[in-house]
Amino acid sequence: MSDHVYKIIELTGSSSKGIEDAVENAVARAAQTVRNMRWVQVTDTRAHVENNKIAYWQVSIKIGFTMD
Amino acid sequence: MSDHVYKIIELTGSSSKGIEDAVENAVARAAQTVRNMRWVQVTDTRAHVENNKIAYWQVSIKIGFTMD
Amino acid sequence: MSDHVYKIIELTGSSSKGIEDAVENAVARAAQTVRNMRWVQVTDTRAHVENNKIAYWQVSIKIGFTMD
Amino acid sequence: MSDHVYKIIELTGSSSKGIEDAVENAVARAAQTVRNMRWVQVTDTRAHVENNKIAYWQVSIKIGFTMD
Amino acid sequence: MSDHVYKIIELTGSSSKGIEDAVENAVARAAQTVRNMRWVQVTDTRAHVENNKIAYWQVSIKIGFTMD
Amino acid sequence: MSDHVYKIIELTGSSSKGIEDAVENAVARAAQTVRNMRWVQVTDTRAHVENNKIAYWQVSIKIGFTMD
Amino acid sequence: MSDHVYKIIELTGSSSKGIEDAVENAVARAAQTVRNMRWVQVTDTRAHVENNKIAYWQVSIKIGFTMD
Amino acid sequence: MSDHVYKIIELTGSSSKGIEDAVENAVARAAQTVRNMRWVQVTDTRAHVENNKIAYWQVSIKIGFTMD
Amino acid sequence: MSDHVYKIIELTGSSSKGIEDAVENAVARAAQTVRNMRWVQVTDTRAHVENNKIAYWQVSIKIGFTMD
Amino acid sequence: MSDHVYKIIELTGSSSKGIEDAVENAVARAAQTVRNMRWVQVTDTRAHVENNKIAYWQVSIKIGFTMD
Amino acid sequence: MSDHVYKIIELTGSSSKGIEDAVENAVARAAQTVRNMRWVQVTDTRAHVENNKIAYWQVSIKIGFTMD
Amino acid sequence: MSDHVYKIIELTGSSSKGIEDAVENAVARAAQTVRNMRWVQVTDTRAHVENNKIAYWQVSIKIGFTMD
């Protein structure tokens, strides 16, 4: 445990449903190319507005994963 | 597109339901006086506590809209 | 009102349901030892990832309460 | 209470007397056009120097007021 | 001088030419509704990319102007 | 001196008189339960507005004290 | 649109001509390996000094691009 | 695991030996009153200078521990 | 006016009277070696506590002055 | 020199020995896939605590390397 | 190389031409009293507005130079 | 004690040995021209990488010293 090295990447996920779902979408997309994800940190929460309503949320996150 | 100017205003929306709803309430209120809103950025997330529970969320946002 | 003193403590709450629920859990736990909570401010939003999904959210908050 | 929306504006007030007076001056000026001010947050404290003395303080604040 | 109150507004200007021009565009647009502008502070510098080139710059600024 | 450990707590003090007095009130209240206070750092300066005037200042501070 | 995921990478571009050109150079280099770049955010502006003049600018940027 | 609540406290540890030792001293002192410490985050690194040498390091940390 | 260069130095002033007086003391001391001071910005407000009272304020400032 | 482009990646290294060793471990791991590393910046210093002692340090860094 | 000590000073340069020129002016002025300048970091970008146009840019920088 | 004024300067020290040694080197160099140094604050920790190893650490610090 004490000699692990983690890499941190930054993504922005989108969702019309809400903040948590935007994060889940980003994690799901990252899973196509990254293994061993461990944690997520939200760094920015934005939303796109259309016709005076939130059209979709855009949440930027950092993802940490173990380098094998 | 390349010559647009946007104005950015700051609001705090409230909601007993959750963070996204507090943002939606602020956007809905802004729509009474502002047209052409494009994006929202969350700048502060707070909540009011009563009787050991969250009574309502108070979310501060910046709203960007096109100046015609 | 003008002579109140508030103490501010910092907690991290967890929840598999979402960000608001993690905050509620921290407030509920704090209620066992602290009275007169007034406000909450979210200072950090993280999540633990297992098997390419959010296993649980970890939300750090500051809680302000009146010192009697 | 839980459905209020607040607008936040930013001003810089000046005063040769001190920091609090500069804030009071900004609030007094804002009162000419804004109703229902609720809170003030100091964001920057500066001063203008003339002849090796503070000539006047310049304090930037955010003011939150209820949107009716 | 010592009793002036300034209001601060936030705009985002765009330009395909460069950062300074984007700021100039925002100031020119603000001049249609605001008098007595005194200073500008750059708060964020972004650009929109199309076909692997900068299509236009988007520079966010705060503008301070004297309240008469 | 070189092996001291300090604990840091965070309070918000209020006062209708001014910023320094709000800090003094917080320190006086802390003195009821904490010994050996050494330093204070101001972390946030706010005020409550009523009838277009500052009703009272609310100053958040960190207090460091020696753990015996 | 609402289900896009973007990846954000960080580069530092150099140029003896100026800030915008340093950003353009970084974007041009990124284009060799990354498709669908959408936006750039400047995060740090530095310069290398030789013989009392700016020898070249070094501008750090974040680039966001769509993950197909 | 997903329903844990952590409390976060802030300490400053001192040591004439170095940064890590100052943190260890703060953790050792905290262990007299707190159980189940999990993580430490360094928030400020300072040192006291005497006779042109570092006399002792003063490192401020946040400590997170599980609330049983 | 448009070709002035300013130097910025950082000082910490002390005073048992209050925040403004601590700034004035730092400006007065700087005046012994620096000419043409123009502005001050407060960067940190601290205080030393003795016997449960503020013994003196310690205010850090940046001072800008014209280089002749 | 003036036309170099650098890429910046973010890693977290671990070590039971200390902060510098955690950074060295992250650099050594990065060397398996990245060439031409030039600089490191420490962005976060944390530690994992077990049985009231630091079990291992976790230091987050940004690494800049030349893009050939 | 590994035992160099650098001093960092802070200046604000002005120019009616643009941001880069304001930095060049500050570096040129510093060269009258400082040798061995190595790097510049932009810390604040402001401008003075007259008659609804940018009259001159004011760019604050840190300059690092080798102490012989 | 209550009327002291401190000046704060910023240096970057280097060392192939470690972070503390880089700070000591900067303090030792400052001692050639500055008297009455009181405290140091670490503001940035970087390192130069050569051949996939840390060649030397570069630690930026602020030093506070009493103005006689």
Side-chain angles (χ1 to χ4, degrees), chain A residues 20-48:
Chain A
E20 285 91 340
D21 194 56
V23 176
E24 293 276 16
N25 286 348
V27 170
R29 179 62 185 80
Q32 296 179 19
T33 53
V34 170
R35 288 185 300 166
N36 298 319
M37 285 184 282
R38 297 303 165 108
W39 81 86
V40 158
Q41 180 184 21
V42 175
T43 58
D44 199 18
T45 303
R46 292 172 180 257
H48 187 76

PDB file of all heavy atoms in Angstrom, chain A residues 20-48:
ATOM      1  N   GLU A  20     -24.548  14.518  -9.813  1.00  0.00           N
ATOM      2  CA  GLU A  20     -24.010  13.177  -9.579  1.00  0.00           C
ATOM      3  C   GLU A  20     -23.981  12.377 -10.886  1.00  0.00           C
ATOM      4  O   GLU A  20     -23.028  11.646 -11.164  1.00  0.00           O
ATOM      5  CB  GLU A  20     -24.845  12.420  -8.531  1.00  0.00           C
ATOM      6  CG  GLU A  20     -24.618  12.883  -7.098  1.00  0.00           C
ATOM      7  CD  GLU A  20     -25.588  13.986  -6.697  1.00  0.00           C
ATOM      8  OE1 GLU A  20     -26.166  14.642  -7.588  1.00  0.00           O
ATOM      9  OE2 GLU A  20     -25.788  14.174  -5.483  1.00  0.00           O
ATOM     10  N   ASP A  21     -25.027  12.500 -11.684  1.00  0.00           N
ATOM     11  CA  ASP A  21     -25.085  11.732 -12.928  1.00  0.00           C
ATOM     12  C   ASP A  21     -24.005  12.178 -13.914  1.00  0.00           C
ATOM     13  O   ASP A  21     -23.450  11.345 -14.645  1.00  0.00           O
ATOM     14  CB  ASP A  21     -26.469  11.878 -13.569  1.00  0.00           C
ATOM     15  CG  ASP A  21     -26.706  10.840 -14.656  1.00  0.00           C
ATOM     16  OD1 ASP A  21     -26.586   9.629 -14.349  1.00  0.00           O
ATOM     17  OD2 ASP A  21     -27.001  11.222 -15.803  1.00  0.00           O
ATOM     18  N   ALA A  22     -23.698  13.462 -13.928  1.00  0.00           N
ATOM     19  CA  ALA A  22     -22.620  13.937 -14.806  1.00  0.00           C
ATOM     20  C   ALA A  22     -21.282  13.321 -14.397  1.00  0.00           C
ATOM     21  O   ALA A  22     -20.461  12.962 -15.251  1.00  0.00           O
ATOM     22  CB  ALA A  22     -22.543  15.468 -14.761  1.00  0.00           C
ATOM     23  N   VAL A  23     -21.076  13.193 -13.092  1.00  0.00           N
ATOM     24  CA  VAL A  23     -19.848  12.554 -12.612  1.00  0.00           C
ATOM     25  C   VAL A  23     -19.837  11.078 -12.996  1.00  0.00           C
ATOM     26  O   VAL A  23     -18.822  10.555 -13.492  1.00  0.00           O
ATOM     27  CB  VAL A  23     -19.708  12.719 -11.079  1.00  0.00           C
ATOM     28  CG1 VAL A  23     -18.491  11.961 -10.565  1.00  0.00           C
ATOM     29  CG2 VAL A  23     -19.605  14.195 -10.715  1.00  0.00           C
ATOM     30  N   GLU A  24     -20.954  10.403 -12.800  1.00  0.00           N
ATOM     31  CA  GLU A  24     -21.036   8.969 -13.165  1.00  0.00           C
ATOM     32  C   GLU A  24     -20.738   8.775 -14.655  1.00  0.00           C
ATOM     33  O   GLU A  24     -20.046   7.829 -15.042  1.00  0.00           O
ATOM     34  CB  GLU A  24     -22.443   8.422 -12.844  1.00  0.00           C
ATOM     35  CG  GLU A  24     -22.784   8.350 -11.368  1.00  0.00           C
ATOM     36  CD  GLU A  24     -22.284   7.079 -10.687  1.00  0.00           C
ATOM     37  OE1 GLU A  24     -21.420   6.366 -11.247  1.00  0.00           O
ATOM     38  OE2 GLU A  24     -22.745   6.806  -9.564  1.00  0.00           O
ATOM     39  N   ASN A  25     -21.247   9.669 -15.498  1.00  0.00           N
ATOM     40  CA  ASN A  25     -20.993   9.541 -16.937  1.00  0.00           C
ATOM     41  C   ASN A  25     -19.512   9.676 -17.259  1.00  0.00           C
ATOM     42  O   ASN A  25     -18.988   8.962 -18.118  1.00  0.00           O
ATOM     43  CB  ASN A  25     -21.781  10.607 -17.707  1.00  0.00           C
ATOM     44  CG  ASN A  25     -23.258  10.272 -17.754  1.00  0.00           C
ATOM     45  OD1 ASN A  25     -23.670   9.161 -17.407  1.00  0.00           O
ATOM     46  ND2 ASN A  25     -24.078  11.231 -18.166  1.00  0.00           N
ATOM     47  N   ALA A  26     -18.851  10.596 -16.578  1.00  0.00           N
ATOM     48  CA  ALA A  26     -17.409  10.768 -16.823  1.00  0.00           C
ATOM     49  C   ALA A  26     -16.642   9.531 -16.361  1.00  0.00           C
ATOM     50  O   ALA A  26     -15.717   9.068 -17.047  1.00  0.00           O
ATOM     51  CB  ALA A  26     -16.905  12.028 -16.114  1.00  0.00           C
ATOM     52  N   VAL A  27     -17.026   8.992 -15.215  1.00  0.00           N
ATOM     53  CA  VAL A  27     -16.347   7.790 -14.709  1.00  0.00           C
ATOM     54  C   VAL A  27     -16.580   6.612 -15.649  1.00  0.00           C
ATOM     55  O   VAL A  27     -15.648   5.841 -15.953  1.00  0.00           O
ATOM     56  CB  VAL A  27     -16.833   7.463 -13.273  1.00  0.00           C
ATOM     57  CG1 VAL A  27     -16.331   6.092 -12.823  1.00  0.00           C
ATOM     58  CG2 VAL A  27     -16.357   8.542 -12.305  1.00  0.00           C
ATOM     59  N   ALA A  28     -17.802   6.480 -16.140  1.00  0.00           N
ATOM     60  CA  ALA A  28     -18.110   5.363 -17.057  1.00  0.00           C
ATOM     61  C   ALA A  28     -17.285   5.479 -18.343  1.00  0.00           C
ATOM     62  O   ALA A  28     -16.784   4.475 -18.862  1.00  0.00           O
ATOM     63  CB  ALA A  28     -19.611   5.366 -17.388  1.00  0.00           C
ATOM     64  N   ARG A  29     -17.156   6.706 -18.849  1.00  0.00           N
ATOM     65  CA  ARG A  29     -16.364   6.888 -20.078  1.00  0.00           C
ATOM     66  C   ARG A  29     -14.879   6.604 -19.822  1.00  0.00           C
ATOM     67  O   ARG A  29     -14.199   5.974 -20.652  1.00  0.00           O
ATOM     68  CB  ARG A  29     -16.551   8.318 -20.594  1.00  0.00           C
ATOM     69  CG  ARG A  29     -15.771   8.639 -21.851  1.00  0.00           C
ATOM     70  CD  ARG A  29     -16.196   7.763 -23.009  1.00  0.00           C
ATOM     71  NE  ARG A  29     -15.385   7.974 -24.207  1.00  0.00           N
ATOM     72  CZ  ARG A  29     -14.188   7.456 -24.405  1.00  0.00           C
ATOM     73  NH1 ARG A  29     -13.642   6.696 -23.472  1.00  0.00           N
ATOM     74  NH2 ARG A  29     -13.526   7.695 -25.515  1.00  0.00           N
ATOM     75  N   ALA A  30     -14.374   7.047 -18.678  1.00  0.00           N
ATOM     76  CA  ALA A  30     -12.969   6.805 -18.344  1.00  0.00           C
ATOM     77  C   ALA A  30     -12.687   5.313 -18.220  1.00  0.00           C
ATOM     78  O   ALA A  30     -11.588   4.843 -18.534  1.00  0.00           O
ATOM     79  CB  ALA A  30     -12.605   7.519 -17.041  1.00  0.00           C
ATOM     80  N   ALA A  31     -13.693   4.547 -17.796  1.00  0.00           N
ATOM     81  CA  ALA A  31     -13.509   3.102 -17.580  1.00  0.00           C
ATOM     82  C   ALA A  31     -13.187   2.367 -18.876  1.00  0.00           C
ATOM     83  O   ALA A  31     -12.697   1.231 -18.844  1.00  0.00           O
ATOM     84  CB  ALA A  31     -14.764   2.510 -16.931  1.00  0.00           C
ATOM     85  N   GLN A  32     -13.443   2.997 -20.019  1.00  0.00           N
ATOM     86  CA  GLN A  32     -13.120   2.348 -21.292  1.00  0.00           C
ATOM     87  C   GLN A  32     -11.609   2.269 -21.526  1.00  0.00           C
ATOM     88  O   GLN A  32     -11.139   1.428 -22.286  1.00  0.00           O
ATOM     89  CB  GLN A  32     -13.777   3.098 -22.451  1.00  0.00           C
ATOM     90  CG  GLN A  32     -15.302   3.071 -22.384  1.00  0.00           C
ATOM     91  CD  GLN A  32     -15.936   3.845 -23.531  1.00  0.00           C
ATOM     92  OE1 GLN A  32     -15.294   4.105 -24.533  1.00  0.00           O
ATOM     93  NE2 GLN A  32     -17.195   4.216 -23.363  1.00  0.00           N
ATOM     94  N   THR A  33     -10.868   3.161 -20.875  1.00  0.00           N
ATOM     95  CA  THR A  33      -9.413   3.167 -21.132  1.00  0.00           C
ATOM     96  C   THR A  33      -8.566   3.103 -19.865  1.00  0.00           C
ATOM     97  O   THR A  33      -7.363   2.878 -19.948  1.00  0.00           O
ATOM     98  CB  THR A  33      -9.001   4.445 -21.910  1.00  0.00           C
ATOM     99  OG1 THR A  33      -9.480   5.588 -21.207  1.00  0.00           O
ATOM    100  CG2 THR A  33      -9.581   4.426 -23.315  1.00  0.00           C
ATOM    101  N   VAL A  34      -9.162   3.272 -18.712  1.00  0.00           N
ATOM    102  CA  VAL A  34      -8.401   3.326 -17.464  1.00  0.00           C
ATOM    103  C   VAL A  34      -8.891   2.233 -16.521  1.00  0.00           C
ATOM    104  O   VAL A  34     -10.090   2.025 -16.379  1.00  0.00           O
ATOM    105  CB  VAL A  34      -8.572   4.718 -16.792  1.00  0.00           C
ATOM    106  CG1 VAL A  34      -8.009   4.703 -15.394  1.00  0.00           C
ATOM    107  CG2 VAL A  34      -7.917   5.793 -17.623  1.00  0.00           C
ATOM    108  N   ARG A  35      -7.944   1.560 -15.869  1.00  0.00           N
ATOM    109  CA  ARG A  35      -8.312   0.562 -14.869  1.00  0.00           C
ATOM    110  C   ARG A  35      -7.962   1.070 -13.465  1.00  0.00           C
ATOM    111  O   ARG A  35      -7.176   1.978 -13.322  1.00  0.00           O
ATOM    112  CB  ARG A  35      -7.550  -0.736 -15.129  1.00  0.00           C
ATOM    113  CG  ARG A  35      -8.055  -1.478 -16.348  1.00  0.00           C
ATOM    114  CD  ARG A  35      -7.340  -2.799 -16.466  1.00  0.00           C
ATOM    115  NE  ARG A  35      -5.904  -2.597 -16.605  1.00  0.00           N
ATOM    116  CZ  ARG A  35      -4.988  -3.562 -16.470  1.00  0.00           C
ATOM    117  NH1 ARG A  35      -5.373  -4.785 -16.162  1.00  0.00           N
ATOM    118  NH2 ARG A  35      -3.706  -3.309 -16.630  1.00  0.00           N
ATOM    119  N   ASN A  36      -8.549   0.457 -12.489  1.00  0.00           N
ATOM    120  CA  ASN A  36      -8.166   0.678 -11.096  1.00  0.00           C
ATOM    121  C   ASN A  36      -8.423   2.102 -10.602  1.00  0.00           C
ATOM    122  O   ASN A  36      -7.649   2.648  -9.819  1.00  0.00           O
ATOM    123  CB  ASN A  36      -6.682   0.340 -10.900  1.00  0.00           C
ATOM    124  CG  ASN A  36      -6.393  -1.109 -11.202  1.00  0.00           C
ATOM    125  OD1 ASN A  36      -7.170  -1.998 -10.840  1.00  0.00           O
ATOM    126  ND2 ASN A  36      -5.287  -1.359 -11.890  1.00  0.00           N
ATOM    127  N   MET A  37      -9.547   2.683 -11.063  1.00  0.00           N
ATOM    128  CA  MET A  37      -9.904   4.004 -10.532  1.00  0.00           C
ATOM    129  C   MET A  37     -10.217   3.891  -9.042  1.00  0.00           C
ATOM    130  O   MET A  37     -10.876   2.945  -8.611  1.00  0.00           O
ATOM    131  CB  MET A  37     -11.122   4.564 -11.276  1.00  0.00           C
ATOM    132  CG  MET A  37     -10.781   5.062 -12.679  1.00  0.00           C
ATOM    133  SD  MET A  37     -12.212   5.808 -13.492  1.00  0.00           S
ATOM    134  CE  MET A  37     -13.120   4.323 -13.984  1.00  0.00           C
ATOM    135  N   ARG A  38      -9.746   4.892  -8.275  1.00  0.00           N
ATOM    136  CA  ARG A  38      -9.937   4.861  -6.827  1.00  0.00           C
ATOM    137  C   ARG A  38     -10.774   6.017  -6.289  1.00  0.00           C
ATOM    138  O   ARG A  38     -11.597   5.834  -5.418  1.00  0.00           O
ATOM    139  CB  ARG A  38      -8.563   4.882  -6.122  1.00  0.00           C
ATOM    140  CG  ARG A  38      -7.709   3.677  -6.433  1.00  0.00           C
ATOM    141  CD  ARG A  38      -8.437   2.399  -6.071  1.00  0.00           C
ATOM    142  NE  ARG A  38      -7.817   1.206  -6.654  1.00  0.00           N
ATOM    143  CZ  ARG A  38      -7.142   0.313  -5.966  1.00  0.00           C
ATOM    144  NH1 ARG A  38      -7.010   0.453  -4.674  1.00  0.00           N
ATOM    145  NH2 ARG A  38      -6.634  -0.734  -6.570  1.00  0.00           N
ATOM    146  N   TRP A  39     -10.506   7.234  -6.770  1.00  0.00           N
ATOM    147  CA  TRP A  39     -11.256   8.343  -6.191  1.00  0.00           C
ATOM    148  C   TRP A  39     -11.523   9.411  -7.242  1.00  0.00           C
ATOM    149  O   TRP A  39     -10.868   9.472  -8.277  1.00  0.00           O
ATOM    150  CB  TRP A  39     -10.503   8.951  -5.004  1.00  0.00           C
ATOM    151  CG  TRP A  39      -9.416   9.908  -5.363  1.00  0.00           C
ATOM    152  CD1 TRP A  39      -9.541  11.254  -5.607  1.00  0.00           C
ATOM    153  CD2 TRP A  39      -8.027   9.615  -5.521  1.00  0.00           C
ATOM    154  NE1 TRP A  39      -8.316  11.797  -5.900  1.00  0.00           N
ATOM    155  CE2 TRP A  39      -7.373  10.825  -5.857  1.00  0.00           C
ATOM    156  CE3 TRP A  39      -7.266   8.459  -5.418  1.00  0.00           C
ATOM    157  CZ2 TRP A  39      -6.001  10.890  -6.090  1.00  0.00           C
ATOM    158  CZ3 TRP A  39      -5.907   8.527  -5.651  1.00  0.00           C
ATOM    159  CH2 TRP A  39      -5.288   9.725  -5.974  1.00  0.00           C
ATOM    160  N   VAL A  40     -12.483  10.251  -6.916  1.00  0.00           N
ATOM    161  CA  VAL A  40     -12.905  11.356  -7.766  1.00  0.00           C
ATOM    162  C   VAL A  40     -12.953  12.605  -6.899  1.00  0.00           C
ATOM    163  O   VAL A  40     -13.365  12.543  -5.734  1.00  0.00           O
ATOM    164  CB  VAL A  40     -14.311  11.063  -8.345  1.00  0.00           C
ATOM    165  CG1 VAL A  40     -14.997  12.350  -8.762  1.00  0.00           C
ATOM    166  CG2 VAL A  40     -14.225  10.107  -9.520  1.00  0.00           C
ATOM    167  N   GLN A  41     -12.510  13.731  -7.451  1.00  0.00           N
ATOM    168  CA  GLN A  41     -12.676  15.011  -6.777  1.00  0.00           C
ATOM    169  C   GLN A  41     -13.340  15.992  -7.743  1.00  0.00           C
ATOM    170  O   GLN A  41     -12.881  16.167  -8.872  1.00  0.00           O
ATOM    171  CB  GLN A  41     -11.322  15.582  -6.333  1.00  0.00           C
ATOM    172  CG  GLN A  41     -11.477  16.932  -5.625  1.00  0.00           C
ATOM    173  CD  GLN A  41     -10.158  17.566  -5.261  1.00  0.00           C
ATOM    174  OE1 GLN A  41      -9.130  17.254  -5.829  1.00  0.00           O
ATOM    175  NE2 GLN A  41     -10.192  18.490  -4.310  1.00  0.00           N
ATOM    176  N   VAL A  42     -14.428  16.604  -7.305  1.00  0.00           N
ATOM    177  CA  VAL A  42     -15.119  17.592  -8.141  1.00  0.00           C
ATOM    178  C   VAL A  42     -14.332  18.898  -8.103  1.00  0.00           C
ATOM    179  O   VAL A  42     -14.037  19.425  -7.023  1.00  0.00           O
ATOM    180  CB  VAL A  42     -16.556  17.818  -7.657  1.00  0.00           C
ATOM    181  CG1 VAL A  42     -17.227  18.932  -8.459  1.00  0.00           C
ATOM    182  CG2 VAL A  42     -17.358  16.527  -7.787  1.00  0.00           C
ATOM    183  N   THR A  43     -13.973  19.434  -9.289  1.00  0.00           N
ATOM    184  CA  THR A  43     -13.195  20.675  -9.329  1.00  0.00           C
ATOM    185  C   THR A  43     -13.982  21.861  -9.884  1.00  0.00           C
ATOM    186  O   THR A  43     -13.601  23.003  -9.664  1.00  0.00           O
ATOM    187  CB  THR A  43     -11.920  20.494 -10.187  1.00  0.00           C
ATOM    188  OG1 THR A  43     -12.305  20.081 -11.505  1.00  0.00           O
ATOM    189  CG2 THR A  43     -10.997  19.456  -9.576  1.00  0.00           C
ATOM    190  N   ASP A  44     -15.060  21.625 -10.604  1.00  0.00           N
ATOM    191  CA  ASP A  44     -15.832  22.726 -11.166  1.00  0.00           C
ATOM    192  C   ASP A  44     -17.224  22.218 -11.519  1.00  0.00           C
ATOM    193  O   ASP A  44     -17.367  21.140 -12.095  1.00  0.00           O
ATOM    194  CB  ASP A  44     -15.137  23.273 -12.430  1.00  0.00           C
ATOM    195  CG  ASP A  44     -15.603  24.665 -12.810  1.00  0.00           C
ATOM    196  OD1 ASP A  44     -16.194  25.359 -11.970  1.00  0.00           O
ATOM    197  OD2 ASP A  44     -15.362  25.064 -13.970  1.00  0.00           O
ATOM    198  N   THR A  45     -18.251  22.996 -11.151  1.00  0.00           N
ATOM    199  CA  THR A  45     -19.629  22.607 -11.464  1.00  0.00           C
ATOM    200  C   THR A  45     -20.266  23.713 -12.287  1.00  0.00           C
ATOM    201  O   THR A  45     -20.423  24.839 -11.806  1.00  0.00           O
ATOM    202  CB  THR A  45     -20.431  22.366 -10.168  1.00  0.00           C
ATOM    203  OG1 THR A  45     -19.766  21.369  -9.396  1.00  0.00           O
ATOM    204  CG2 THR A  45     -21.837  21.900 -10.481  1.00  0.00           C
ATOM    205  N   ARG A  46     -20.591  23.408 -13.520  1.00  0.00           N
ATOM    206  CA  ARG A  46     -21.203  24.369 -14.429  1.00  0.00           C
ATOM    207  C   ARG A  46     -22.454  23.760 -15.036  1.00  0.00           C
ATOM    208  O   ARG A  46     -22.737  22.575 -14.858  1.00  0.00           O
ATOM    209  CB  ARG A  46     -20.215  24.739 -15.551  1.00  0.00           C
ATOM    210  CG  ARG A  46     -19.020  25.543 -15.054  1.00  0.00           C
ATOM    211  CD  ARG A  46     -17.970  25.722 -16.128  1.00  0.00           C
ATOM    212  NE  ARG A  46     -16.846  26.478 -15.637  1.00  0.00           N
ATOM    213  CZ  ARG A  46     -16.622  27.767 -15.920  1.00  0.00           C
ATOM    214  NH1 ARG A  46     -17.445  28.416 -16.736  1.00  0.00           N
ATOM    215  NH2 ARG A  46     -15.582  28.413 -15.404  1.00  0.00           N
ATOM    216  N   ALA A  47     -23.210  24.579 -15.766  1.00  0.00           N
ATOM    217  CA  ALA A  47     -24.384  24.057 -16.471  1.00  0.00           C
ATOM    218  C   ALA A  47     -24.611  24.899 -17.708  1.00  0.00           C
ATOM    219  O   ALA A  47     -24.261  26.079 -17.747  1.00  0.00           O
ATOM    220  CB  ALA A  47     -25.615  24.089 -15.573  1.00  0.00           C
ATOM    221  N   HIS A  48     -25.166  24.257 -18.714  1.00  0.00           N
ATOM    222  CA  HIS A  48     -25.526  24.951 -19.948  1.00  0.00           C
ATOM    223  C   HIS A  48     -27.004  25.308 -19.856  1.00  0.00           C
ATOM    224  O   HIS A  48     -27.835  24.464 -19.500  1.00  0.00           O
ATOM    225  CB  HIS A  48     -25.260  24.043 -21.145  1.00  0.00           C
ATOM    226  CG  HIS A  48     -25.445  24.730 -22.451  1.00  0.00           C
ATOM    227  ND1 HIS A  48     -24.530  25.614 -22.977  1.00  0.00           N
ATOM    228  CD2 HIS A  48     -26.484  24.694 -23.336  1.00  0.00           C
ATOM    229  CE1 HIS A  48     -24.971  26.074 -24.132  1.00  0.00           C
ATOM    230  NE2 HIS A  48     -26.157  25.536 -24.373  1.00  0.00           N
TER     231      HIS A  48
END
